[in-house]
Amino acid sequence: MLNILIVGCGNIGKRHLFSLNNSKHKINIKVLEKDIKKIKLFKKINKGFTGYIKNYSEIDRNTALLLICTKAYKREKIIKSVLKYCNPKFMILEKIPFQKMTAYREILNLCKKRKIKTWVNFPFRYQSYYKFLKKIIFKNNKFFSMIVLLSKSDDLFSSGIHFFDLFLHKIEKDLKIEYMEVLKKNNDYNGTYTGRFVFSSKNRTIAVLNSKSKFQQQMHIFGSYHNLKINFFSNKGDPWKNPKVNIYKKNKNIGNFKHLWQSQLTSLYLKDIKLKGKCLLPTLQESYKCNDLIIDAFKKKLKVYLKNSLCPIT
């Protein structure tokens, strides 16, 4: 029996729980949330689930896996509080992990000291099309450029960050922001941002921008050996119900894949962790450079929009 604690029951927390409830493994799940309104909403979606706790003192000391789903600016304090009451073997944090690099270093060192294997929830690595693309892109291409076209309603940062993760396992020290242009649709912290940003290094360039498309996302990859086009959510009808991903090379279809949502992915993390003691998500150490770049660049470019200097990704 694996004891799991989900900290925070917002949008991502409920998706983790939904996925874990469909797991075939023997697990015991608890959800830590102090906000009664969130718990009531959570209960409507996860009917029959009763494992709610409100205080740190109620945490099971035998908790093995932590899923931290709180806002990034609260995360350091919450992790330290939770770890006073349990000694987990594994932990998964939402992206971006922290709003300050001092907090990032603090928790990174704490996890090393406590020997907690920690990952960041960039779920692209569990998509079958990502595994397919990774083999093509990094096997032969000495360099490549990637252009990501989001739909017109996608948030530039919370959607674009998934594509930025394609750099993580091949990230280079000279990767930096080249250009950023941002528009905001409303003035509150949770407002939607549109626009474009470009990061580049000696051998890599990634550009993310909003297109005029209502639903579909596209990715174009130009490499030293391959030119590819990837269509996301390309199926007819409602693209969210049965999302498809198609990959083309010189206008020839070379792969068709199904896109998995978070409510389908967390159980896959669990399977790997139980069987292998690890998973495909980038580690906290791996994600350090990416987090540093994002925090530094976005804060400098978005001062006029940011409330309390908070990065808008999480």
Side-chain angles (χ1 to χ4, degrees):
M1 179 73 74
L2 188 76
N3 292 318
I4 300 173
L5 176 64
I6 300 173
V7 182
C9 60
N11 289 330
I12 193 68
K14 68 185 179 187
R15 293 186 178 99
H16 282 315
L17 180 59
F18 183 86
S19 184
L20 291 171
N21 275 336
N22 290 319
S23 171
K24 296 179 181 179
H25 295 278
K26 291 183 179 180
I27 53 177
N28 177 41
I29 311 170
K30 296 290 183 182
V31 175
L32 174 62
E33 178 57 69
K34 295 184 178 182
D35 190 326
I36 296 175
K37 290 181 179 179
K38 285 186 178 180
I39 291 176
K40 287 181 178 179
L41 181 61
F42 206 67
K43 284 182 177 180
K44 289 181 181 180
I45 298 167
N46 294 281
K47 294 179 180 178
F49 180 77
T50 58
Y52 301 99
I53 58 175
K54 297 179 184 178
N55 302 301
Y56 292 121
S57 59
E58 298 177 74
I59 295 174
D60 189 332
R61 289 200 169 272
N62 294 316
T63 297
L65 171 61
L66 290 177
L67 296 166
I68 309 296
C69 309
T70 59
K71 294 288 187 184
Y73 69 92
K74 300 178 180 179
R75 203 164 284 154
E76 179 192 11
K77 182 179 179 181
I78 288 172
I79 290 172
K80 288 180 177 178
S81 297
V82 170
L83 292 181
K84 289 178 182 178
Y85 294 90
C86 64
N87 189 29
K89 295 180 180 178
F90 313 104
M91 181 162 61
I92 297 175
L93 309 179
E94 283 310 307
K95 58 194 170 300
I96 54 174
F98 303 99
Q99 290 281 357
K100 295 181 179 179
M101 294 310 296
T102 51
Y104 204 119
R105 289 188 288 271
E106 188 85 13
I107 297 302
L108 187 60
N109 290 331
L110 181 60
C111 290
K112 287 179 180 178
K113 184 179 179 180
R114 298 278 293 266
K115 296 181 179 179
I116 305 169
K117 293 182 180 179
T118 308
W119 300 277
V120 180
N121 189 24
F122 283 103
F124 247 163
R125 298 188 182 199
Y126 272 87
Q127 301 289 359
S128 55
Y129 56 83
Y130 175 84
K131 297 172 186 178
F132 180 82
L133 285 171
K134 182 181 173 182
K135 289 179 182 179
I136 297 175
I137 297 170
F138 293 114
K139 185 177 181 180
N140 296 315
N141 286 285
K142 294 179 180 178
F143 65 89
F144 71 85
S145 297
M146 185 166 71
I147 300 173
V148 178
L149 299 174
L150 304 174
S151 75
K152 65 180 182 181
S153 59
D154 284 326
D155 186 89
L156 179 65
F157 302 119
S158 59
S159 294
I161 191 64
H162 291 280
F163 297 95
F164 190 80
D165 175 51
L166 284 168
F167 280 98
L168 276 176
H169 66 292
K170 290 283 185 178
I171 207 156
E172 295 164 319
K173 291 182 180 179
D174 63 333
L175 187 66
K176 61 184 183 299
I177 188 166
E178 293 287 352
Y179 177 79
M180 182 175 288
E181 179 185 15
V182 181
L183 301 173
K184 193 176 183 185
K185 291 187 177 178
N186 54 49
N187 294 320
D188 64 358
Y189 171 68
N190 295 313
T192 300
Y193 295 82
T194 59
R196 65 193 70 190
F197 65 81
V198 180
F199 281 83
S200 70
S201 66
K202 182 179 179 180
N203 295 314
R204 312 272 188 265
T205 300
I206 177 171
V208 179
L209 61 150
N210 292 93
S211 69
K212 295 181 180 180
S213 172
K214 188 176 181 180
F215 291 116
Q216 188 172 322
Q217 296 177 348
Q218 277 191 356
M219 181 162 64
H220 297 264
I221 299 172
F222 307 95
S224 48
Y225 286 91
H226 299 291
N227 290 341
L228 305 172
K229 181 177 79 170
I230 302 94
N231 287 337
F232 295 86
F233 314 133
S234 53
N235 46 303
K236 295 180 180 180
D238 188 345
W240 308 115
K241 288 184 178 179
N242 186 27
K244 302 289 185 182
V245 177
N246 310 114
I247 299 177
Y248 298 87
K249 181 180 178 182
K250 295 181 179 179
N251 294 322
K252 180 182 179 181
N253 188 314
I254 60 171
N256 299 300
F257 304 89
K258 182 180 179 181
H259 177 82
L260 300 179
W261 298 120
Q262 187 66 66
S263 55
Q264 300 166 297
L265 290 167
T266 313
S267 58
L268 300 181
Y269 308 167
L270 175 65
K271 181 181 177 181
D272 281 349
I273 288 170
K274 284 209 71 174
L275 295 178
K276 305 173 186 177
K278 60 182 181 179
C279 68
L280 298 177
L281 297 174
T283 65
L284 190 60
Q285 179 69 61
E286 255 188 301
S287 302
Y288 184 90
K289 176 68 174 176
C290 179
N291 198 96
D292 193 17
L293 276 169
I294 291 167
I295 292 295
D296 182 57
F298 289 0
K299 281 186 177 181
K300 285 180 180 178
K301 298 289 183 178
L302 297 176
K303 281 183 179 179
V304 66
Y305 300 110
L306 299 184
K307 181 181 179 181
N308 299 324
S309 297
L310 295 178
C311 184
I313 292 176
T314 186

